[in-house]
Amino acid sequence: LIKFLCVGGSPSSILEMMSMDDFDANFGPPSPAVPASQCLSVRIVRTEEQMSLIMQRFTAYIIEVNDCGKINEVPHRYSEFETLHKTLLTECVGLQLPPMPPKGADGTDSAVIAARKGELEKILKAMISAEVLMEKQLTLWKFLDLGNPSVIVGRFVMVPRARGTVLKTMAKLNDEKYKDDVYRLGHFAVMELLMEGLRELRSGSDSNHWCRQQGGRSALCQLVAGSLGTTQEARDRLIEMDVIGHLLGIVQLEENALDDARPALNVIVAREGDKLPSIVARFLVAGGLHQLVDLVQRPKCQEFVAKLLWLAWDAGSRAAFAQPGGMGLKVLQTLLRSTAPMCSLLGAVLLAGMVAGSNFEEPTHRSEALKLVRMSLERPEAANDPQFAKALCGGASALVRLAAMLEDAELAPLVLGLLCTAKPPAAKLGQISGNLAALLANKGAHTEQTRARAAELLLHIQGSGTATSAPSPVATPNGLSTGTAYGSAPAQRASSAGINELLERCEGIAAHEESMEAALRAQLEEGLAKGRQVLEADSVQVREVSELAQHRLKDLPVLDFQSFEKSFASFRAAREVLGRDMRECESLQANIDRQLRELQTARPSSVDPQLFKEKLLMAERLYVDVKSQREAFASAEADALEKTSRSEVSSSKLRELESARRRYQDDLQQLKSQRTDKELKASQIRSKADMPGLLDMKRQAQESIDRNLAEAKQLQVIGQRVQQGDPDYLREGESREQKITELTAKLAELKRQHQSLLQKQKEFDIDPVSLGDQARKLENEAAELDIRIGGLEDKLRETERSYADASGDATRDAEDARQAKERRSSLSSRLSSVEQDAKAQISALQPMIQEQHSGWQRLLSQQKKLDEYQHSLMSRLNDAKTAAASEVRSREHVAGAVQDLVKSLLGFASFLDQCGGEPLPTAAPLVPAEPSPSAAMLNSFEDDWQATPPLTAAPAAPAVLSPPSVLSAPVAAVPMDPAPVAAPKQEPAPLADDDFDAFLKEDLSAGFGVNGQGGAEKPPDDL
C-alpha cells in the first residue's frame, strides 16, 4: 500500500510484488498464546527463498517455537519435514499423523507453498503428543532446535506419566550452569504442577503421586525455590496461590521438612524486601497464624518462626498479634518460654515492638507486657552470639524498628543493653547513630544508665572507623531520627563534599562529645563505686576468717583409729559370714523338705490321664481313615489321568481329520474353479475362430487406415503452403497463426483415429485353425481336471466317514474323562475334609502331648536338683562351723583394740578443752554486683525461700565415757547431719486461651535467655 501511494503503479503490479506470505507476516493475525496446560507450541509464520550449499534455490518454512514463553525461529525445507514425518511414524508405533502434502507439485508456485504451509503446520501440531515427546532419539526436539532443559520441562508438563522420572533431573535447573534455562520454571503450567505437588504433600495422603517418591519432597521444594526466583510475576502468582501456607503445611506434617522448605521461603524474604511485611500480614490474616501456633510448639521450628516474624514485624503483622486472647499471644508465649536463647530474646524483642507500636489499648496490658520484656532483656548475656546479632539487624527495616523502640523511655535502656551485648557491626549501627546521639543529648527524659549505654554504642561505631562526620539525624515514621547521623558518612563522601557541608555537620560536635564523655564517666564511676563496696565487704570477712583460723588451727594429737577399724571390720565380717551361713543352711533345709513333699504328689501335667488316652486312640482312628481316603484318591487320580490322556488322543485324531477334510474341500474348490475357467476360455476362443465375415472386416479396416493416412498427408501439404504464405488456404479475416493452430488440432485428431484403427486391425489379425487348436487343448485340460475332481470327492467322502466315527469316539472319551475328574474332585474334597479334621484333632492334642512330656522332664529335673541341694547343705554346714570359730577369734582381738582406743580418746578430750570454743563472728551481708531482678521475680524467690523447711541442727557431741562404761555399753549409731532439702521448683501455670492478663503477668524468668546447660544454641544462618 505504501509503494502504491508513494511510488505509483497499478494495483495489479503492487499485488504481484507482494506475496501472501508477506501479507500474513505484516498484516496477519497476532501469534496465538500458548495454552495454559502446555509449555511448548509451534506455528509456521512465513516462508523464505534461500540458497543451498550447491547454489540451488529452495523454499524454507520458518517455524516459530514458543518454549515456555521464549520465542525462537527455526527454518526447514520440505524434504526435512518429510524425513521427520517418516522417522516418527517408524519410531513411534501406532502414531497417527496427517499425511504429508503431495511431493510432485511445483514447489515454487505461491499457491502450492501456501497450501503446504497450512498442512505442515497441522502436522507439526499433531506431533506434539506424548508418544513423540517421549521418543528416545529426541527427533522432534532436535528438529525444533531445543536442548535437554526444554526436553525435561516439556515432558514434565505435557507427559503425566513422565513426571516422577524427570522430577529430580529438572531440579538441576537451579545449578549455575543452567542459569539461562531456569526461566522455564516460571511458566504458568510448571507452577500449577508444582503447587499440585505441594498440595499433595500437605494432604498427607498415602497415594502414588509423582511427588511422593524418595527424594521427591526435596526436589519439589528446590523447584519451587527456582520458580520463585525467576520473575516478579511468577513470584506474585505463587504467593497468590498460598505457596507460603503450603510450604509451612508440609513442615507441620513432618518437622524435618523445614530444611527442604527453607530455601524457597528464603527466596521470598530476599526478593520481596519491603513488600515482605505486607505479604506476611496477608498470610497471617488468611489463616497462617494457626499454622505458626502449631509450628512454634516444635523446638526445631521456633527459631524459624521468630526470625520470620521479626523480618515482617510491621504494623500489619503486629495487628494480627494484638488481639486479646488470640493465637498471636500463644506464639509469643511459646517463644518467651523457649530454652533456645535466640528464640526467647527475639520473642521479647517482638513483644517490645508491640509495646513501642502502641498495639496494647489497655494501660494494664501494656505495663504487664513491658514487665515481661524487662524480665527477659535485663540480663541478655546470650545475645553475644554473632548469629543473634545477624538476625536482629539483618533485615532492611530491622534497625528502623529498633529505632522506634528507642523512642520509648522505658524500652530504651532494655534495647540499648541488648545492642551493647550483641555488638552488631558498626556499619549497621551507624544507621541509628543519630538516634543514639539524640538520646545522649536529652538529659532530662532518660536515665544516666540509658545515656551511658547510648554512649557505649556510639563509641563502638566511631572506634570501628565506619564514620567520621557529625550527627545528621533523619526522622522515622514515629518522629525519631534514623538516617545518616553523627559519624555515619563515609570518608570518601566527606572528602568530596563542600566545605560548607562539612562545617554544618560539625555544628554541636563539642556538646555531643561532652555529653558522651559525661555519660561514659558516670557509668564508669558507678561501676567503680559498686566494686569498692563489694571489695570492702569482702575484706572484712577475709580478716575475720583469718583471725579465727589462726586461733583454731593448732597441731592435732595423733589418734590411731586404723588399728581399731581393722579389728572391728574383721569382727563384723566374721559375724556376717556366720549369719549368712546359718541362714543359707536353714533355707536349704526348708527348700529340700518342701520339694520332697511336692514330688510325692506331683503329676506331669494337669490333663486327665483317661481323657488323654481317649484322645490318642481317636487320633489313631483318624489316621487310618485318612490313609484309606488317600489310597482311594490316588486310584481315582490315576484313572482320571489315563482317561484324560485317551480323550486327548481322540481329540487330536479328530483335529487331524478335520484339517484333512478342510484341505480336501479347499483343493476341490480350487480344481473346480480352474475347470470352469478353462471351459470358459475354450468357448470364447471357438466363438472368435468361427466369427462370420472376418475377411471383409480386415479389408474395411485396411481401407480406413489408408484414408486416414491420405487425409494426414493432405493436412501436412496445406500446413506447408500456409507456412510459405500462400493466401489461397486462408479464409477472410483468418490469420496464419490461427490456421496453423486449426491444422495442428485436426492433425492430432487424425493421429488418435490412426491409433484406434491400428488397434482394431490387430484384433482382426487372427488364425481360425490356431484358435481351434487352443480351444481343444483347453477342453482336454478341463477333462483332466474333471477326473481329478472325482478322485478328490471320493477321498473327501472317506474322510467325512472317518471324521464321524472319530467324533463319536472323542465324545465318549471326553465323557469318561469328565466323570473320572468329577470322581477325583469328589474324593479330593472328601480327603481334604478328613485331613482337616485330623489336623484339627492332632493340633488340639499336640499341646497336651508337649505338656505331658515337659511335665515328666520337669519332675526328673527336680529330682536331680534335690541331690544337688543335699550336697550344698553338707557344704554349708561345714562352712558355718568354720565361721563360728573365726568369730570367736575376732571378738577377742577387737576387745583389746577398744581398750587402746579409749586411752587415746581421753588424751584428745583434754586437747579440745585447751583450744577453747568461741563462736564464729557474723560477716556483713554481700553487696550484689549486678542490678537485682524485677520485684515480681524477687517476691517469687522470697516465697520459695520462706516455704523451704529449716535445716535440722546437728546433735551435740556425746560425752567421753570411762573405759569400763565403753566396754559394757552397746554400740550406738552416730546420728548424721541431714542433707538440706531443696525447695520444689514452681512451674508456671498453663494459660487459658482467652486470658490475656494471665499471659502478661506470668513469671517467665526461669526460661529466658539460656538453655538447660546454660549455653547458647547456635542458630542457622538464615530462616
Side-chain angles (χ1 to χ4, degrees):
L1 183 61
I2 294 173
K3 291 178 181 178
F4 175 72
L5 293 176
C6 298
V7 180
S10 63
S12 61
S13 62
I14 299 300
L15 292 176
E16 288 176 0
M17 291 190 301
M18 191 172 184
S19 66
M20 286 302 297
D21 289 335
D22 296 330
F23 183 84
D24 291 341
N26 293 299
F27 307 106
S31 174
V34 183
S37 60
Q38 292 186 356
C39 62
L40 176 66
S41 69
V42 294
R43 74 182 191 119
I44 301 177
V45 292
R46 66 183 183 278
T47 59
E48 292 180 357
E49 187 175 326
Q50 298 182 359
M51 190 75 70
S52 66
L53 296 177
I54 59 176
M55 304 304 292
Q56 289 184 352
R57 295 182 180 275
F58 65 90
T59 301
Y61 297 87
I62 310 302
I63 305 172
E64 181 186 85
V65 182
N66 190 330
D67 179 19
C68 294
K70 186 176 182 180
I71 306 298
N72 296 317
E73 290 187 351
V74 182
H76 283 289
R77 59 193 303 176
Y78 175 84
S79 58
E80 293 171 343
F81 278 96
E82 187 179 21
T83 303
L84 173 67
H85 192 272
K86 292 179 180 179
T87 303
L88 291 180
L89 289 178
T90 304
E91 295 293 333
C92 304
V93 180
L95 178 64
Q96 299 293 330
L97 292 177
M100 287 289 294
K103 187 176 182 181
D106 185 5
T108 60
D109 185 24
S110 59
V112 173
I113 293 174
R116 281 184 176 180
K117 176 174 172 288
E119 295 180 15
L120 292 177
E121 182 173 334
K122 291 180 181 178
I123 294 173
L124 275 179
K125 292 183 177 180
M127 288 178 179
I128 302 180
S129 60
E131 293 80 3
V132 177
L133 297 179
M134 293 300 293
E135 190 253 331
K136 294 182 179 179
Q137 303 301 325
L138 305 179
T139 307
L140 178 62
W141 300 101
K142 295 176 182 177
F143 183 82
L144 298 177
D145 196 17
L146 296 175
N148 289 338
S150 299
V151 176
I152 297 301
V153 176
R155 289 178 174 179
F156 178 75
V157 174
M158 293 186 289
V159 186
R161 69 173 185 271
R163 288 168 187 165
T165 306
V166 303
L167 177 63
K168 296 181 182 178
T169 306
M170 194 167 69
K172 296 181 180 178
L173 289 177
N174 289 320
D175 295 348
E176 179 65 22
K177 63 180 179 179
Y178 296 115
K179 61 181 180 180
D180 295 333
D181 300 299
V182 74
Y183 73 90
R184 295 177 174 86
L185 298 182
H187 190 267
F188 180 76
V190 178
M191 292 190 295
E192 282 286 349
L193 289 174
L194 296 180
M195 290 303 299
E196 174 191 330
L198 290 179
R199 286 190 289 270
E200 176 66 23
L201 290 177
R202 185 180 182 182
S203 66
S205 62
D206 222 3
S207 63
N208 294 326
H209 197 269
W210 49 266
C211 66
R212 293 194 174 277
Q213 58 178 302
Q214 186 177 4
R217 183 186 67 198
S218 176
L220 180 62
C221 292
Q222 291 178 29
L223 290 172
V224 172
S227 182
L228 287 167
T230 52
T231 61
Q232 183 65 44
E233 181 183 0
R235 196 158 47 250
D236 292 341
R237 186 180 293 272
L238 285 173
I239 293 173
E240 185 180 353
M241 295 178 182
D242 194 23
V243 66
I244 300 176
H246 285 88
L247 289 171
L248 296 183
I250 298 174
V251 180
Q252 284 182 276
L253 292 178
E254 188 174 355
E255 190 173 346
N256 293 331
L258 180 60
D259 296 333
D260 296 332
R262 193 190 303 272
L265 296 169
N266 281 338
V267 173
I268 299 176
V269 172
R271 297 296 179 88
E272 291 302 325
D274 295 337
K275 294 195 297 183
L276 179 65
S278 61
I279 293 173
V280 175
R282 292 197 303 270
F283 164 71
L284 294 173
V285 173
L289 194 56
H290 292 80
Q291 291 183 265
L292 295 185
V293 171
D294 183 24
L295 291 174
V296 80
Q297 305 299 326
R298 309 175 188 188
K300 186 175 180 179
C301 302
Q302 289 176 353
E303 181 180 320
F304 164 78
V305 174
K307 286 182 177 181
L308 178 64
L309 291 177
W310 175 238
L311 289 172
W313 203 238
D314 282 359
S317 302
R318 294 196 305 266
F321 281 74
Q323 302 297 328
M327 295 292 179
L329 295 180
K330 291 185 178 181
V331 175
L332 295 179
Q333 175 193 31
T334 308
L335 291 177
L336 288 171
R337 287 179 172 176
S338 175
T339 57
M342 181 180 294
C343 298
S344 60
L345 289 176
L346 285 178
V349 173
L350 293 172
L351 191 58
M354 296 181 67
V355 174
S358 302
N359 293 110
F360 297 110
E361 298 179 357
E362 296 291 334
T364 56
H365 292 172
R366 183 185 184 281
S367 61
E368 295 297 339
L370 186 62
K371 179 181 177 182
L372 290 176
V373 174
R374 185 179 294 111
M375 291 167 60
S376 178
L377 299 184
E378 275 185 341
R379 301 179 63 86
E381 290 82 1
N384 56 7
D385 187 356
Q387 296 298 331
F388 175 75
K390 181 179 179 181
L392 183 65
C393 303
S397 56
L399 288 171
V400 176
R401 301 188 190 103
L402 292 175
M405 298 179 194
L406 295 179
E407 190 177 8
D408 191 299
E410 294 175 305
L411 289 176
L414 302 175
V415 175
L416 291 173
L418 184 66
L419 291 174
C420 289
T421 306
K423 284 291 189 297
K428 288 282 187 181
L429 282 179
Q431 301 178 26
I432 60 170
S433 58
N435 306 89
L436 299 176
L439 290 175
L440 188 62
N442 193 353
K443 298 182 180 180
H446 298 285
T447 62
E448 290 297 330
Q449 182 185 14
T450 302
R451 298 175 64 250
R453 289 177 175 175
E456 181 180 351
L457 291 176
L458 285 173
L459 198 63
H460 170 64
I461 296 172
Q462 297 173 6
S464 65
T466 304
T468 59
S469 60
S472 179
V474 178
T476 66
N478 294 330
L480 197 62
S481 58
T482 60
T484 304
Y486 175 75
S488 64
Q492 60 269 25
R493 182 178 176 184
S495 62
S496 62
I499 189 65
N500 294 330
E501 184 180 357
L502 292 176
L503 290 175
E504 291 176 1
R505 289 182 179 178
C506 290
E507 181 181 0
I509 188 172
H512 169 76
E513 290 292 337
E514 182 182 357
S515 300
M516 185 170 66
E517 183 178 357
L520 291 173
R521 185 175 298 281
Q523 183 181 9
L524 181 62
E525 290 177 355
E526 182 182 359
L528 291 175
K530 291 181 180 179
R532 282 194 295 271
Q533 292 178 5
V534 174
L535 182 61
E536 290 176 359
D538 291 344
S539 299
V540 173
Q541 294 186 12
V542 169
R543 288 194 300 271
E544 292 176 353
V545 171
S546 177
E547 294 174 358
L548 179 64
Q550 291 177 2
H551 179 74
R552 298 287 181 86
L553 299 179
K554 297 180 179 180
D555 294 337
L556 291 175
V558 179
L559 293 176
D560 187 10
F561 288 99
Q562 295 182 357
S563 178
F564 170 75
E565 290 176 353
K566 183 177 180 181
S567 300
F568 184 72
S570 177
F571 173 63
R572 185 167 54 189
R575 287 168 55 86
E576 291 176 354
V577 170
L578 179 59
R580 185 183 67 245
D581 291 344
M582 179 266 296
R583 290 190 296 272
E584 289 181 356
C585 290
E586 291 177 350
S587 175
L588 282 172
Q589 182 186 12
N591 190 20
I592 292 171
D593 181 61
R594 177 180 57 79
Q595 292 191 18
L596 284 173
R597 288 195 301 271
E598 290 177 354
L599 284 175
Q600 288 177 355
T601 59
R603 291 168 55 182
S605 67
S606 59
V607 180
D608 186 7
Q610 185 64 27
L611 177 63
F612 182 64
K613 185 175 181 180
E614 291 178 358
K615 288 187 175 293
L616 289 175
L617 294 175
M618 183 181 296
E620 290 181 359
R621 289 194 298 270
L622 286 173
Y623 173 72
V624 172
D625 192 9
V626 169
K627 185 177 180 180
S628 63
Q629 291 295 332
R630 284 178 177 175
E631 292 174 353
F633 175 73
S635 176
E637 188 173 16
D639 183 50
L641 289 175
E642 179 183 357
K643 291 184 178 181
T644 301
S645 176
R646 189 185 306 160
S647 175
E648 291 176 353
V649 171
S650 300
S651 299
S652 177
K653 183 179 178 181
L654 184 63
R655 286 193 295 272
E656 292 177 357
L657 291 173
E658 175 65 20
S659 176
R661 187 178 67 170
R662 289 181 179 176
R663 187 171 61 254
Y664 288 151
Q665 289 176 350
D666 294 341
D667 293 345
L668 186 60
Q669 184 68 24
Q670 186 177 3
L671 291 176
K672 288 181 178 181
S673 177
Q674 293 177 2
R675 183 187 64 182
T676 303
D677 292 342
K678 290 183 181 298
E679 290 176 349
L680 181 59
K681 287 181 179 180
S683 176
Q684 290 176 352
I685 291 173
R686 285 193 180 276
S687 175
K688 191 174 183 180
D690 298 339
M691 182 183 299
L694 181 61
L695 294 177
D696 295 337
M697 292 181 182
K698 287 182 178 182
R699 188 180 65 254
Q700 292 175 1
Q702 184 63 40
E703 292 174 354
S704 298
I705 291 174
D706 294 340
R707 284 195 301 271
N708 181 269
L709 289 175
E711 292 178 2
K713 289 179 181 181
Q714 185 179 1
L715 287 177
Q716 289 178 353
V717 172
I718 295 173
Q720 292 175 358
R721 294 291 182 84
V722 172
Q723 286 286 353
Q724 294 173 0
D726 190 352
D728 295 337
Y729 295 95
L730 297 176
R731 292 189 297 272
E732 185 178 358
E734 185 178 19
S735 65
R736 185 177 60 179
E737 288 79 5
Q738 292 176 351
K739 188 64 176 181
I740 291 174
T741 303
E742 180 183 353
L743 293 175
T744 303
K746 290 182 178 181
L747 185 60
E749 179 65 25
L750 290 175
K751 286 182 179 180
R752 286 194 293 273
Q753 292 178 4
H754 183 71
Q755 293 294 332
S756 176
L757 291 173
L758 290 177
Q759 181 66 26
K760 190 174 182 181
Q761 185 185 29
K762 187 177 180 181
E763 291 178 359
F764 293 152
D765 190 10
I766 57 176
D767 186 8
V769 177
S770 176
L771 291 178
D773 294 339
Q774 291 180 10
R776 283 192 297 273
K777 184 179 179 181
L778 289 174
E779 289 172 353
N780 293 334
E781 291 177 356
E784 291 176 359
L785 290 175
D786 196 16
I787 294 172
R788 290 176 60 187
I789 288 171
L792 282 176
E793 289 178 346
D794 294 338
K795 290 181 180 181
L796 178 60
R797 286 192 292 272
E798 182 64 26
T799 302
E800 288 179 347
R801 285 196 297 271
S802 300
Y803 178 79
D805 297 338
S807 177
D809 295 340
T811 303
R812 287 192 300 274
D813 293 341
E815 182 63 23
D816 294 342
R818 186 187 62 79
Q819 293 177 358
K821 289 180 180 178
E822 289 180 354
R823 181 169 177 271
R824 181 186 63 180
S825 177
S826 175
L827 289 175
S828 175
S829 301
R830 185 174 179 185
L831 174 62
S832 177
S833 176
V834 173
E835 286 180 344
Q836 290 294 334
D837 294 341
K839 288 179 181 179
Q841 292 293 337
I842 293 174
S843 298
L845 181 61
Q846 189 68 21
M848 299 173 65
I849 297 174
Q850 292 178 356
E851 183 181 357
Q852 195 79 359
H853 293 174
S854 300
W856 283 114
Q857 292 176 358
R858 186 178 66 256
L859 293 178
L860 292 176
S861 177
Q862 290 179 2
Q863 191 271 332
K864 292 179 181 179
K865 286 183 180 180
L866 284 177
D867 296 340
E868 296 176 1
Y869 290 160
Q870 294 288 353
H871 294 295
S872 298
L873 179 59
M874 295 301 297
S875 176
R876 290 292 182 271
L877 289 174
N878 294 331
D879 293 342
K881 294 177 182 179
T882 304
S886 177
E887 190 271 339
V888 172
R889 291 192 298 271
S890 61
R891 182 169 10 104
E892 295 174 353
H893 191 271
V894 79
V898 168
Q899 293 288 347
D900 297 337
L901 181 61
V902 168
K903 293 178 183 179
S904 300
L905 289 174
L906 290 175
F908 188 73
S910 63
F911 168 78
L912 293 177
D913 292 338
Q914 295 175 5
C915 289
E918 62 273 11
L920 180 70
T922 303
L926 295 175
V927 178
E930 296 289 340
S932 61
S934 64
M937 295 175 62
L938 287 177
N939 292 338
S940 63
F941 292 160
E942 290 174 359
D943 294 341
D944 292 344
W945 174 257
Q946 294 173 1
T948 305
L951 300 178
T952 306
V960 181
L961 304 178
S962 60
S965 302
V966 173
L967 294 176
S968 60
V971 180
V974 180
M976 304 297 293
D977 292 343
V981 180
K985 184 179 179 180
Q986 296 182 358
E987 298 290 341
L991 298 179
D993 291 345
D994 55 352
D995 195 351
F996 182 75
D997 294 330
F999 162 64
L1000 293 175
K1001 294 179 181 179
E1002 184 178 0
D1003 183 7
L1004 302 174
S1005 59
F1008 284 165
V1010 295
N1011 56 15
Q1013 287 74 26
E1017 298 179 356
K1018 185 177 180 180
D1021 294 338
D1022 50 16
L1023 281 182

